[in-house]
Amino acid sequence: MNYIAIIPARKGSKEIPNKNIKIIGGKPLIAWTIEQALSSKKISRVVVSTDSKEIAKVAIKSGATVPFIRPEKISGDLSTTEETLKHALLTYEKIINKKFKICIFLTCTDIFREKKWIKQGLNLLKNNKKLQSVFVGSKTHKNFWEQNKLKKQKKWKRLKKRMKYYSSRQIRQFIVREDTGLFCASRADLWRKGKRIGDNVEIIFNNNNFSAIDIHDVNDLKLANAAKKIEYETK
């Protein structure tokens, strides 16, 4: 099981300071993702990359490894996920003197993930050596518009020309939104190059409506707590 899961969890949040350890459904937010990763029984190491000693303590108590405190230079609002993942992988591999083949990215703010996605995704990568990445995605039949901010005349345009033709949802061509925070696994060489996913991918379709709750502000916290309550009541 040469797989490593890395969970970024910085302390900075303009909306909710220390958001990643706020209590949701009776436990710290970060604990949900750590426990989901561990319960898959597929991942040999679950590493949390954080710039907070307080978050580190909660992560360790929840079963994760926190082998370093993330440097300030990659902990700001403009730091990218790719920078964080590359730093965490290379730093941890150097610490334990071992290289991993498959890396899994999971976020703290996406807690409504299904455990089967982790097993399914890793099996797909294991059985198809040509695949570079597997991630969760949500289908949508909606139309999308974009605006080129580099042009003086900021005219709105359809994302795809075919979107000007309207028809019933049942026969329309769908597009897929990346939900990599719920689950994304890639060959480790991609992360070493600073890339999250490759070009040759497989997508696991996400039909869990609760998973649309990505926790970033107070309203998201309220939604997540309400959704967890519904989950408990329907089990």
Side-chain angles (χ1 to χ4, degrees), residues 4-8 81-90 102-106 132-133 184-198:
I4 181 173
I6 294 177
I7 304 171
T81 297
E82 285 71 24
E83 287 176 321
T84 301
L85 297 179
K86 179 180 178 179
H87 170 267
L89 174 64
L90 295 180
I102 303 293
C103 300
I104 298 99
F105 165 57
L106 305 169
Q132 293 178 291
S133 305
C184 176
S186 292
R187 308 284 174 192
D189 285 342
L190 283 169
W191 283 24
R192 295 188 185 103
K193 295 174 184 176
K195 297 180 180 180
R196 191 186 318 188
I197 61 175

Side-chain angles (χ1 to χ4, degrees), residues 137-189:
S138 298
K139 284 184 183 181
T140 178
H141 296 84
K142 303 288 186 181
N143 288 331
F144 288 81
W145 295 72
E146 63 180 353
Q147 189 182 58
N148 190 338
K149 292 187 177 181
L150 298 178
K151 292 185 178 181
K152 290 183 179 179
Q153 188 179 1
K154 296 177 176 61
K155 185 179 179 181
W156 287 98
K157 290 187 177 181
R158 289 180 173 88
L159 191 63
K160 295 284 186 181
K161 288 183 179 180
R162 62 176 171 78
M163 289 180 175
K164 67 169 65 175
Y165 304 107
Y166 290 81
S167 60
S168 65
R169 182 179 61 82
Q170 285 75 11
I171 62 174
R172 292 199 73 190
Q173 183 176 337
F174 63 84
I175 61 174
V176 177
R177 181 192 69 205
E178 287 182 14
D179 289 333
T180 56
L182 287 166
F183 171 79
C184 176
S186 292
R187 308 284 174 192
D189 285 342

Side-chain angles (χ1 to χ4, degrees), residues 25 112 223-234:
F112 295 94
L223 282 171
N225 269 309
K228 279 298 177 186
K229 184 177 181 181
I230 293 170
E231 274 191 338
Y232 289 138
E233 291 173 351
T234 55

Side-chain angles (χ1 to χ4, degrees), residues 69-84:
I69 295 297
R70 194 197 308 179
E72 186 178 343
K73 65 180 180 180
I74 56 169
S75 299
D77 289 342
L78 298 181
S79 300
T80 66
T81 297
E82 285 71 24
E83 287 176 321
T84 301

Side-chain angles (χ1 to χ4, degrees), residues 14-234:
K14 291 180 180 178
E15 295 288 341
I16 311 171
N18 271 333
K19 168 182 60 184
N20 292 311
I21 54 176
K22 293 296 183 184
I23 302 300
I24 299 286
K27 66 180 72 173
L29 181 60
I30 194 172
W32 289 100
T33 296
I34 293 170
E35 290 175 8
Q36 288 158 358
L38 292 171
S39 67
S40 73
K41 301 189 184 304
K42 284 277 188 178
I43 300 169
S44 49
R45 304 288 171 92
V46 177
V47 173
V48 168
S49 171
T50 183
D51 57 337
S52 163
K53 291 182 179 179
E54 189 176 0
I55 292 175
K57 288 179 182 178
V58 175
I60 292 168
K61 188 176 180 180
S62 301
T65 298
V66 187
F68 55 83
I69 295 297
R70 194 197 308 179
E72 186 178 343
K73 65 180 180 180
I74 56 169
S75 299
D77 289 342
L78 298 181
S79 300
T80 66
T81 297
E82 285 71 24
E83 287 176 321
T84 301
L85 297 179
K86 179 180 178 179
H87 170 267
L89 174 64
L90 295 180
T91 303
Y92 189 59
E93 286 182 332
K94 187 175 181 180
I95 290 172
I96 66 171
N97 193 27
K98 175 184 177 179
K99 286 197 171 183
F100 292 90
K101 293 182 179 179
I102 303 293
C103 300
I104 298 99
F105 165 57
L106 305 169
T107 64
C108 301
T109 57
D110 287 298
I111 60 173
F112 295 94
R113 68 174 52 80
E114 300 191 23
K115 297 172 187 176
K116 65 181 181 182
W117 292 339
I118 298 174
K119 293 180 181 179
Q120 186 179 350
L122 293 177
N123 284 335
L124 284 167
L125 281 172
K126 179 182 177 181
N127 296 327
N128 185 347
K129 302 302 181 184
K130 293 182 179 180
L131 277 180
Q132 293 178 291
S133 305
V134 178
F135 58 86
V136 168
S138 298
K139 284 184 183 181
T140 178
H141 296 84
K142 303 288 186 181
N143 288 331
F144 288 81
W145 295 72
E146 63 180 353
Q147 189 182 58
N148 190 338
K149 292 187 177 181
L150 298 178
K151 292 185 178 181
K152 290 183 179 179
Q153 188 179 1
K154 296 177 176 61
K155 185 179 179 181
W156 287 98
K157 290 187 177 181
R158 289 180 173 88
L159 191 63
K160 295 284 186 181
K161 288 183 179 180
R162 62 176 171 78
M163 289 180 175
K164 67 169 65 175
Y165 304 107
Y166 290 81
S167 60
S168 65
R169 182 179 61 82
Q170 285 75 11
I171 62 174
R172 292 199 73 190
Q173 183 176 337
F174 63 84
I175 61 174
V176 177
R177 181 192 69 205
E178 287 182 14
D179 289 333
T180 56
L182 287 166
F183 171 79
C184 176
S186 292
R187 308 284 174 192
D189 285 342
L190 283 169
W191 283 24
R192 295 188 185 103
K193 295 174 184 176
K195 297 180 180 180
R196 191 186 318 188
I197 61 175
D199 297 319
N200 188 9
V201 308
E202 187 58 76
I203 298 175
I204 300 170
F205 289 138
N206 169 20
N207 297 313
N208 185 335
N209 291 331
F210 284 158
S211 69
I213 303 172
D214 189 3
I215 303 164
H216 293 289
D217 59 31
V218 174
N219 288 330
D220 296 331
L221 282 173
K222 292 177 181 177
L223 282 171
N225 269 309
K228 279 298 177 186
K229 184 177 181 181
I230 293 170
E231 274 191 338
Y232 289 138
E233 291 173 351
T234 55

